[in-house]
mmCIF file of all heavy atoms in Angstrom:
data_model
loop_
_atom_site.group_PDB
_atom_site.id
_atom_site.type_symbol
_atom_site.label_atom_id
_atom_site.label_comp_id
_atom_site.label_asym_id
_atom_site.label_seq_id
_atom_site.Cartn_x
_atom_site.Cartn_y
_atom_site.Cartn_z
ATOM 1 N N ILE A 25 -15.734 -5.626 8.987
ATOM 2 C CA ILE A 25 -14.809 -4.996 8.043
ATOM 3 C C ILE A 25 -15.507 -3.808 7.418
ATOM 4 O O ILE A 25 -16.625 -3.922 6.929
ATOM 5 C CB ILE A 25 -14.365 -6.011 6.978
ATOM 6 C CG1 ILE A 25 -13.609 -7.146 7.679
ATOM 7 C CG2 ILE A 25 -13.505 -5.350 5.911
ATOM 8 C CD1 ILE A 25 -13.340 -8.336 6.810
ATOM 9 N N GLU A 26 -14.841 -2.647 7.459
ATOM 10 C CA GLU A 26 -15.477 -1.426 6.973
ATOM 11 C C GLU A 26 -14.441 -0.488 6.385
ATOM 12 O O GLU A 26 -13.272 -0.812 6.283
ATOM 13 C CB GLU A 26 -16.227 -0.732 8.114
ATOM 14 C CG GLU A 26 -15.342 -0.028 9.125
ATOM 15 C CD GLU A 26 -14.512 -0.929 10.000
ATOM 16 O OE1 GLU A 26 -15.025 -1.862 10.596
ATOM 17 O OE2 GLU A 26 -13.298 -0.660 10.080
ATOM 18 N N GLY A 27 -14.897 0.655 5.986
ATOM 19 C CA GLY A 27 -14.026 1.737 5.548
ATOM 20 C C GLY A 27 -13.139 1.366 4.385
ATOM 21 O O GLY A 27 -13.563 0.731 3.420
ATOM 22 N N THR A 28 -11.895 1.786 4.481
ATOM 23 C CA THR A 28 -10.926 1.614 3.410
ATOM 24 C C THR A 28 -10.742 0.151 3.038
ATOM 25 O O THR A 28 -10.610 -0.179 1.858
ATOM 26 C CB THR A 28 -9.571 2.236 3.816
ATOM 27 O OG1 THR A 28 -9.780 3.597 4.149
ATOM 28 C CG2 THR A 28 -8.560 2.131 2.687
ATOM 29 N N ALA A 29 -10.738 -0.742 4.026
ATOM 30 C CA ALA A 29 -10.557 -2.167 3.732
ATOM 31 C C ALA A 29 -11.689 -2.695 2.866
ATOM 32 O O ALA A 29 -11.464 -3.465 1.924
ATOM 33 C CB ALA A 29 -10.466 -2.971 5.031
ATOM 34 N N LEU A 30 -12.903 -2.286 3.141
ATOM 35 C CA LEU A 30 -14.052 -2.733 2.352
ATOM 36 C C LEU A 30 -14.009 -2.144 0.946
ATOM 37 O O LEU A 30 -14.227 -2.848 -0.045
ATOM 38 C CB LEU A 30 -15.353 -2.356 3.060
ATOM 39 C CG LEU A 30 -16.629 -2.869 2.412
ATOM 40 C CD1 LEU A 30 -16.631 -4.385 2.320
ATOM 41 C CD2 LEU A 30 -17.839 -2.401 3.224
ATOM 42 N N VAL A 31 -13.696 -0.868 0.847
ATOM 43 C CA VAL A 31 -13.617 -0.209 -0.461
ATOM 44 C C VAL A 31 -12.509 -0.837 -1.306
ATOM 45 O O VAL A 31 -12.704 -1.126 -2.497
ATOM 46 C CB VAL A 31 -13.399 1.311 -0.295
ATOM 47 C CG1 VAL A 31 -13.104 1.977 -1.626
ATOM 48 C CG2 VAL A 31 -14.602 1.944 0.376
ATOM 49 N N LYS A 32 -11.352 -1.072 -0.707
ATOM 50 C CA LYS A 32 -10.227 -1.679 -1.418
ATOM 51 C C LYS A 32 -10.616 -3.068 -1.921
ATOM 52 O O LYS A 32 -10.346 -3.418 -3.077
ATOM 53 C CB LYS A 32 -9.022 -1.776 -0.480
ATOM 54 C CG LYS A 32 -7.820 -2.452 -1.076
ATOM 55 C CD LYS A 32 -6.685 -2.515 -0.067
ATOM 56 C CE LYS A 32 -5.506 -3.301 -0.577
ATOM 57 N NZ LYS A 32 -4.440 -3.405 0.424
ATOM 58 N N THR A 33 -11.268 -3.841 -1.091
ATOM 59 C CA THR A 33 -11.680 -5.184 -1.485
ATOM 60 C C THR A 33 -12.679 -5.133 -2.631
ATOM 61 O O THR A 33 -12.547 -5.874 -3.617
ATOM 62 C CB THR A 33 -12.303 -5.922 -0.289
ATOM 63 O OG1 THR A 33 -11.316 -6.007 0.739
ATOM 64 C CG2 THR A 33 -12.766 -7.308 -0.676
ATOM 65 N N ALA A 34 -13.672 -4.278 -2.513
ATOM 66 C CA ALA A 34 -14.687 -4.173 -3.562
ATOM 67 C C ALA A 34 -14.058 -3.781 -4.896
ATOM 68 O O ALA A 34 -14.451 -4.285 -5.950
ATOM 69 C CB ALA A 34 -15.760 -3.173 -3.154
ATOM 70 N N ALA A 35 -13.059 -2.929 -4.851
ATOM 71 C CA ALA A 35 -12.411 -2.473 -6.082
ATOM 72 C C ALA A 35 -11.550 -3.559 -6.719
ATOM 73 O O ALA A 35 -11.445 -3.632 -7.940
ATOM 74 C CB ALA A 35 -11.550 -1.244 -5.785
ATOM 75 N N LEU A 36 -10.937 -4.413 -5.900
ATOM 76 C CA LEU A 36 -9.992 -5.400 -6.415
ATOM 77 C C LEU A 36 -10.559 -6.803 -6.549
ATOM 78 O O LEU A 36 -9.917 -7.669 -7.147
ATOM 79 C CB LEU A 36 -8.759 -5.444 -5.507
ATOM 80 C CG LEU A 36 -7.961 -4.147 -5.395
ATOM 81 C CD1 LEU A 36 -6.851 -4.296 -4.366
ATOM 82 C CD2 LEU A 36 -7.410 -3.740 -6.748
ATOM 83 N N ALA A 37 -11.729 -7.057 -5.993
ATOM 84 C CA ALA A 37 -12.297 -8.405 -5.986
ATOM 85 C C ALA A 37 -12.691 -8.863 -7.383
ATOM 86 O O ALA A 37 -13.042 -8.051 -8.241
ATOM 87 C CB ALA A 37 -13.512 -8.449 -5.072
ATOM 88 N N SER A 38 -12.655 -10.165 -7.570
ATOM 89 C CA SER A 38 -13.072 -10.757 -8.840
ATOM 90 C C SER A 38 -14.560 -11.109 -8.815
ATOM 91 O O SER A 38 -15.010 -11.960 -9.567
ATOM 92 C CB SER A 38 -12.249 -12.023 -9.098
ATOM 93 O OG SER A 38 -10.900 -11.695 -9.247
ATOM 94 N N VAL A 39 -15.283 -10.487 -7.917
ATOM 95 C CA VAL A 39 -16.735 -10.641 -7.828
ATOM 96 C C VAL A 39 -17.324 -9.233 -7.866
ATOM 97 O O VAL A 39 -16.622 -8.259 -7.580
ATOM 98 C CB VAL A 39 -17.176 -11.383 -6.541
ATOM 99 C CG1 VAL A 39 -16.626 -12.793 -6.509
ATOM 100 C CG2 VAL A 39 -16.762 -10.633 -5.291
ATOM 101 N N PRO A 40 -18.596 -9.085 -8.211
ATOM 102 C CA PRO A 40 -19.188 -7.745 -8.214
ATOM 103 C C PRO A 40 -19.053 -7.073 -6.841
ATOM 104 O O PRO A 40 -19.272 -7.709 -5.799
ATOM 105 C CB PRO A 40 -20.656 -8.012 -8.556
ATOM 106 C CG PRO A 40 -20.649 -9.328 -9.264
ATOM 107 C CD PRO A 40 -19.534 -10.122 -8.644
ATOM 108 N N ALA A 41 -18.707 -5.803 -6.860
ATOM 109 C CA ALA A 41 -18.508 -5.059 -5.610
ATOM 110 C C ALA A 41 -19.729 -5.127 -4.705
ATOM 111 O O ALA A 41 -19.599 -5.218 -3.481
ATOM 112 C CB ALA A 41 -18.156 -3.606 -5.914
ATOM 113 N N ALA A 42 -20.908 -5.112 -5.285
ATOM 114 C CA ALA A 42 -22.134 -5.156 -4.490
ATOM 115 C C ALA A 42 -22.299 -6.487 -3.757
ATOM 116 O O ALA A 42 -23.035 -6.578 -2.777
ATOM 117 C CB ALA A 42 -23.344 -4.910 -5.387
ATOM 118 N N ARG A 43 -21.592 -7.510 -4.195
ATOM 119 C CA ARG A 43 -21.691 -8.847 -3.578
ATOM 120 C C ARG A 43 -20.805 -8.975 -2.339
ATOM 121 O O ARG A 43 -21.057 -9.817 -1.479
ATOM 122 C CB ARG A 43 -21.301 -9.887 -4.631
ATOM 123 C CG ARG A 43 -21.304 -11.299 -4.189
ATOM 124 C CD ARG A 43 -22.588 -12.024 -4.544
ATOM 125 N NE ARG A 43 -22.508 -13.416 -4.162
ATOM 126 C CZ ARG A 43 -23.000 -13.905 -3.041
ATOM 127 N NH1 ARG A 43 -23.650 -13.132 -2.207
ATOM 128 N NH2 ARG A 43 -22.863 -15.181 -2.743
ATOM 129 N N VAL A 44 -19.778 -8.164 -2.233
ATOM 130 C CA VAL A 44 -18.801 -8.298 -1.146
ATOM 131 C C VAL A 44 -19.447 -8.207 0.246
ATOM 132 O O VAL A 44 -19.190 -9.064 1.093
ATOM 133 C CB VAL A 44 -17.641 -7.297 -1.307
ATOM 134 C CG1 VAL A 44 -16.707 -7.324 -0.103
ATOM 135 C CG2 VAL A 44 -16.868 -7.600 -2.595
ATOM 136 N N PRO A 45 -20.297 -7.230 0.541
ATOM 137 C CA PRO A 45 -20.899 -7.192 1.883
ATOM 138 C C PRO A 45 -21.689 -8.451 2.233
ATOM 139 O O PRO A 45 -21.606 -8.940 3.371
ATOM 140 C CB PRO A 45 -21.807 -5.960 1.826
ATOM 141 C CG PRO A 45 -21.150 -5.074 0.812
ATOM 142 C CD PRO A 45 -20.634 -6.032 -0.239
ATOM 143 N N ALA A 46 -22.418 -9.017 1.287
ATOM 144 C CA ALA A 46 -23.174 -10.248 1.561
ATOM 145 C C ALA A 46 -22.231 -11.415 1.854
ATOM 146 O O ALA A 46 -22.507 -12.234 2.739
ATOM 147 C CB ALA A 46 -24.090 -10.573 0.386
ATOM 148 N N LEU A 47 -21.130 -11.490 1.122
ATOM 149 C CA LEU A 47 -20.148 -12.548 1.378
ATOM 150 C C LEU A 47 -19.548 -12.403 2.773
ATOM 151 O O LEU A 47 -19.410 -13.393 3.507
ATOM 152 C CB LEU A 47 -19.029 -12.501 0.329
ATOM 153 C CG LEU A 47 -19.416 -12.829 -1.099
ATOM 154 C CD1 LEU A 47 -18.252 -12.555 -2.041
ATOM 155 C CD2 LEU A 47 -19.883 -14.267 -1.215
ATOM 156 N N LEU A 48 -19.205 -11.178 3.142
ATOM 157 C CA LEU A 48 -18.617 -10.945 4.462
ATOM 158 C C LEU A 48 -19.611 -11.251 5.575
ATOM 159 O O LEU A 48 -19.244 -11.792 6.620
ATOM 160 C CB LEU A 48 -18.103 -9.508 4.566
ATOM 161 C CG LEU A 48 -16.926 -9.180 3.638
ATOM 162 C CD1 LEU A 48 -16.576 -7.705 3.738
ATOM 163 C CD2 LEU A 48 -15.728 -10.063 3.943
ATOM 164 N N ALA A 49 -20.880 -10.925 5.360
ATOM 165 C CA ALA A 49 -21.915 -11.231 6.358
ATOM 166 C C ALA A 49 -22.084 -12.737 6.508
ATOM 167 O O ALA A 49 -22.225 -13.252 7.628
ATOM 168 C CB ALA A 49 -23.232 -10.574 5.969
ATOM 169 N N CYS A 50 -22.047 -13.457 5.397
ATOM 170 C CA CYS A 50 -22.170 -14.913 5.425
ATOM 171 C C CYS A 50 -21.005 -15.540 6.200
ATOM 172 O O CYS A 50 -21.201 -16.422 7.040
ATOM 173 C CB CYS A 50 -22.211 -15.435 3.986
ATOM 174 S SG CYS A 50 -22.303 -17.221 3.840
ATOM 175 N N VAL A 51 -19.808 -15.068 5.930
ATOM 176 C CA VAL A 51 -18.622 -15.591 6.614
ATOM 177 C C VAL A 51 -18.659 -15.225 8.104
ATOM 178 O O VAL A 51 -18.344 -16.060 8.959
ATOM 179 C CB VAL A 51 -17.335 -15.092 5.926
ATOM 180 C CG1 VAL A 51 -16.105 -15.376 6.770
ATOM 181 C CG2 VAL A 51 -17.211 -15.732 4.550
ATOM 182 N N GLN A 52 -19.070 -14.005 8.427
ATOM 183 C CA GLN A 52 -19.175 -13.611 9.834
ATOM 184 C C GLN A 52 -20.167 -14.510 10.565
ATOM 185 O O GLN A 52 -19.934 -14.909 11.702
ATOM 186 C CB GLN A 52 -19.594 -12.145 9.969
ATOM 187 C CG GLN A 52 -19.927 -11.703 11.388
ATOM 188 C CD GLN A 52 -18.801 -11.871 12.390
ATOM 189 O OE1 GLN A 52 -17.630 -11.736 12.049
ATOM 190 N NE2 GLN A 52 -19.151 -12.149 13.637
#
Side-chain angles (χ1 to χ4, degrees):
I25 297 169
E26 74 291 310
T28 304
L30 185 59
V31 171
K32 177 181 175 182
T33 300
L36 299 175
S38 296
V39 298
R43 178 97 177 97
V44 174
L47 294 172
L48 294 175
C50 178
V51 168
Q52 171 59 33

